[in-house]
Amino acid sequence: GNTTLSRMPGAFVTSPLRSPVALADDLIHETYHNRLFALEEHGPFFENESARTDACHYSPWRSDPRPVFG
């Protein structure tokens, strides 16, 4: 498993993996989360604050709606 925390810019956690390709995939994935969090620091993605904190949104990688900070 891996995770990126929006309140800890530039930081993420990943599990040790035997495959360097899988590790590279995790590093890229979590780096992009950090880039999105950095973009949001310049201004919100949504006009309505409740859409940011309460609503779930479409994700092309999952079948279930996800919160923005999920």
Side-chain angles (χ1 to χ4, degrees):
N2 52 17
T3 189
T4 300
L5 304 171
S6 63
R7 300 300 171 229
M8 296 180 69
F12 63 87
V13 176
T14 186
S15 303
L17 301 168
R18 293 183 187 262
S19 166
V21 174
L23 179 58
D25 181 58
D26 282 356
L27 292 172
I28 292 167
H29 177 94
E30 298 306 326
T31 298
Y32 277 113
H33 277 291
N34 276 307
R35 290 182 82 183
L36 285 171
F37 295 146
L39 286 172
E40 191 185 34
E41 292 296 320
H42 293 285
F45 293 137
F46 304 101
E47 291 180 15
N48 182 349
E49 181 66 20
S50 65
R52 178 180 182 258
T53 57
D54 300 333
C56 289
H57 305 277
Y58 167 77
S59 168
W61 298 276
R62 294 182 57 131
S63 59
D64 56 327
R66 302 282 293 159
V68 172
F69 293 105

